[in-house]
Amino acid sequence: MDNFKAAIFDLDGTLLNSMDVWEKIDINFLTKRGLSVPNGYINEICARSFQEAAEYTIDLFGLNEKVEDIIAEWNDMAIHEYSYNVQLKLYAKEYLLKLKSLDVKLAIATGLPSVLYTPALQSNGILQLFDTICSTDEVKRGKEYPDVFLLAAERLSVPPKDCIVFEDVAPAVESSKKAGMKVYGVYDKYCEIYRTDIINIADGYLYDFCNAPIPQNK
């Protein structure tokens, strides 16, 4: 039985069909430097904060660049896409509206900065549905750790055991599960190689939000 009082959603690859954007950005970013995108690179950085992803990229390729400059370049490349082109996953808005009608508290826990998540949520008409939005920019560690999920629960004033998390990335599924939350994996093609791992860790797995869990305590 699914009993929960709050739902916490990842954005990239979970609510938003946006991972194609990052593939293009990664290709363009590295091509400008005469580099190709290594296998597994996108999966390696997608659970990290922008700070951690930039540090990882500098170390991996031996770049003589500043973290803040790389983050600024990524943001500049992504702002237009998130403002105008990034769409929601199937049935995501309908599911959010259903939960809202049942007085479930809604939160976002994302690795995106506000300059990207705000226009994406506005353009898809769902910004107003969320009680709080938490970014890994606000905590010390990325989603390999439960910090951002615990921050969301704290802001919602809901104990972790009464929260359900929706995530597409295996490290984030694992960390939110360790935080004592119910966790559903969400299919995204960029994380397909980790699908079995996610299914083994999570309480459930979704290919879209059509059959997403409805709280039985409502």
Side-chain angles (χ1 to χ4, degrees):
M1 181 179 291
D2 290 307
N3 291 318
F4 55 91
K5 297 177 181 177
I8 302 171
F9 295 86
D10 169 56
L11 284 180
D12 281 332
T14 299
L15 282 183
L16 299 179
N17 216 345
S18 53
M19 296 306 287
D20 285 339
V21 169
W22 289 107
E23 182 178 34
K24 287 190 290 186
I25 288 172
D26 291 336
I27 291 170
N28 291 338
F29 175 85
L30 294 174
T31 299
K32 284 171 60 178
R33 292 155 176 82
L35 301 166
S36 58
V37 181
N39 289 335
Y41 174 72
I42 295 174
N43 287 312
E44 278 293 332
I45 64 173
C46 64
R48 302 170 190 257
S49 67
F50 267 39
Q51 174 86 18
E52 291 169 334
E55 291 170 351
Y56 175 82
T57 301
I58 289 169
D59 291 342
L60 180 64
F61 297 103
L63 301 178
N64 185 25
E65 300 187 49
K66 294 180 180 179
V67 167
E68 57 268 29
D69 292 338
I70 289 177
I71 292 173
E73 184 173 342
W74 285 343
N75 282 339
D76 288 344
M77 296 167 77
I79 283 174
H80 178 83
E81 294 292 329
Y82 275 83
S83 298
Y84 300 104
N85 297 330
V86 170
Q87 301 295 312
L88 295 174
K89 288 284 192 80
L90 279 175
Y91 306 109
K93 186 172 185 177
E94 291 86 345
Y95 182 56
L96 292 170
L97 289 169
K98 177 64 175 178
L99 293 183
K100 199 72 176 176
S101 74
L102 295 171
D103 295 323
V104 174
K105 293 184 177 181
L106 302 181
I108 285 169
T110 180
L112 293 174
S114 61
V115 294
L116 296 183
Y117 69 65
T118 298
L121 296 173
Q122 285 177 331
S123 67
N124 284 287
I126 61 171
L127 178 63
Q128 75 285 357
L129 297 179
F130 293 95
D131 299 285
T132 191
I133 300 175
C134 301
S135 171
T136 50
D137 288 347
E138 302 175 80
V139 293
K140 292 182 179 179
R141 302 180 295 185
K143 284 190 173 180
E144 314 96 299
Y145 301 91
D147 305 26
V148 72
F149 301 108
L150 293 172
L151 176 62
E154 179 183 347
R155 287 184 178 172
L156 294 174
S157 299
V158 176
K161 67 180 180 64
D162 294 326
C163 295
I164 187 170
V165 172
F166 296 91
E167 264 286 357
D168 66 313
V169 177
V173 169
E174 187 171 10
S175 67
S176 54
K177 184 71 177 171
K178 287 180 177 177
M181 300 176 177
K182 183 182 291 291
V183 187
Y184 269 62
V186 178
Y187 175 80
D188 188 81
K189 66 180 180 180
Y190 288 96
C191 297
E192 188 167 8
I193 60 173
Y194 301 115
R195 181 166 58 100
T196 301
D197 293 337
I198 292 172
I199 289 172
N200 288 337
I201 299 167
D203 297 287
Y205 192 80
L206 303 174
Y207 287 90
D208 58 46
F209 285 96
C210 182
N211 297 309
I214 299 298
Q216 301 301 310
N217 54 326
K218 292 295 177 182

